[in-house]
Amino acid sequence: MATANQPPVFNLRPPEAEPAPVVVSIPHAGIFVPEDIARDFADGSIRALPMTDWHLQHLYDFLPSLGVTTLYANYSRFVVDLNRPPDATPLYPGRYETGLVATSTFQGEAIYREPPNAAAIEHRRQQFHAPYHEKLSYLLEEHRKQFGRVVLIDAHSIASQANLLHGALQSDVYLGDRDGKSCEARLIDCVCAAFTRARLKVAINDPYKGGYITAHYGAQANTQALQIEMCQRLYMDEADPAIALSLPQFTDMKRVLYEVFSTLLDKI
């Protein structure tokens, strides 16, 4: 619940046109951090919120005009990571990854002077993680009731430089379907072809296969889930996230995404 000083856990954008059997989740674009959490950050560089999927709620703001329902988070992934399992099960066993409440960045930098204890993590799960997933589950079920099926797109972006997960990213767009487990091949092929027509280099399931949202909901009946991860260099200056919305490439990338989703909607 929102208060005078804090936003709601998420915002919902309902369709503005004939509803489509598509829901888009944007779990990592939030930048709000409660002060009682922020004051425990290790230093000022963490307050700059590296690992944020900058401005995706704006980049995808055309989706309601296509009939697509959009859910996006308002709180930083440093508060809690909505794309991680609530029980801390590894997504990529044997590989470096951040958990439900990350304690280090993708570069290995400490996020907190002293990491939150188990009780604090559970509180954040209940306050932020659970409400987002309750709403997302509800939206998917409503779409299944209405259409008999639903496509879930989990939208992300990532800085291009090397980190503990991978080397410098050479491709532009990374599609993940958990190695073919979360959606039909025709769906990921359709999205891949649409990005390729825009002269973007696309990789599939390497190094990003999709996180908890893709894996969890993609395993449900009559649900197909696909993660779209894109390099932030496509739509912003990675050294200065604040000016992204005024840059020509932001508008250009929004146009590409509009065509991708138009193609997807025609396909399904």
Side-chain angles (χ1 to χ4, degrees):
M1 181 179 296
T3 69
N5 298 318
Q6 296 190 174
V9 172
F10 55 78
N11 278 22
L12 173 66
R13 287 182 178 146
E16 297 171 354
E18 184 71 22
V22 178
V23 174
V24 172
S25 163
I26 306 176
H28 288 160
I31 59 172
F32 187 83
V33 180
E35 185 53 35
D36 63 331
I37 294 176
R39 65 171 171 250
D40 291 332
F41 283 164
D43 55 43
S45 67
I46 301 302
R47 281 184 176 260
L49 303 180
M51 295 167 51
T52 299
D53 293 10
W54 295 105
H55 308 300
L56 289 192
Q57 71 273 39
H58 304 298
L59 195 65
Y60 285 97
D61 65 8
F62 63 87
L63 288 172
S65 71
L66 295 177
V68 174
T69 299
T70 311
L71 185 71
Y72 66 90
N74 288 315
Y75 286 76
S76 169
R77 69 188 299 174
F78 286 170
V79 175
V80 72
D81 195 328
L82 301 174
N83 201 29
R84 296 296 182 269
D87 61 359
T89 302
L91 286 168
Y92 299 96
R95 195 178 98 174
Y96 175 84
E97 59 182 281
T98 54
L100 180 66
V101 174
T103 57
S104 59
T105 69
F106 291 153
Q107 303 295 334
E109 303 156 325
I111 294 174
Y112 296 96
R113 292 194 301 271
E114 184 173 336
N117 60 28
I121 292 172
E122 174 60 14
H123 177 73
R124 295 191 204 181
R125 186 195 68 78
Q126 294 180 14
Q127 188 174 5
F128 304 107
H129 191 278
Y132 187 90
H133 284 278
E134 287 169 4
K135 188 64 174 183
L136 183 54
S137 296
Y138 172 80
L139 292 171
L140 295 173
E141 181 59 25
E142 289 299 297
H143 279 70
R144 286 189 291 261
K145 289 178 180 177
Q146 181 176 359
F147 299 103
R149 69 197 193 287
V150 63
V151 171
L152 170 63
I153 302 294
D154 200 41
H156 296 265
S157 69
I158 186 74
S160 305
Q161 74 263 29
N163 59 40
L164 295 178
L165 283 74
H166 51 68
L169 296 176
Q170 303 302 316
S171 295
D172 301 306
V173 177
Y174 297 82
L175 303 180
D177 65 358
R178 301 300 296 181
D179 291 322
K181 296 176 182 177
S182 68
C183 74
E184 295 176 359
R186 68 186 185 94
L187 189 148
I188 195 169
D189 289 347
C190 169
V191 174
C192 179
F195 278 116
T196 301
R197 283 195 295 274
R199 299 183 179 180
L200 297 177
K201 186 177 180 181
V202 181
I204 296 178
N205 291 314
D206 182 21
Y208 295 105
K209 301 177 187 294
Y212 171 71
I213 290 173
T214 303
H216 177 70
Y217 296 104
Q220 296 179 352
N222 301 313
T223 305
Q224 298 193 61
L226 173 66
Q227 179 174 291
I228 297 177
E229 184 89 61
M230 72 180 77
C231 285
Q232 291 174 347
R233 64 173 182 260
L234 295 176
Y235 68 91
M236 59 178 268
D237 178 352
E238 294 185 1
D240 190 359
I243 65 171
L245 276 64
S246 64
L247 298 177
Q249 61 258 44
F250 189 90
T251 302
D252 292 343
M253 194 61 206
K254 182 181 285 191
R255 188 177 301 113
V256 169
L257 290 168
Y258 185 95
E259 292 302 320
V260 169
F261 274 85
S262 296
T263 299
L264 174 63
L265 291 170
D266 287 343
K267 183 71 172 179
I268 65 174

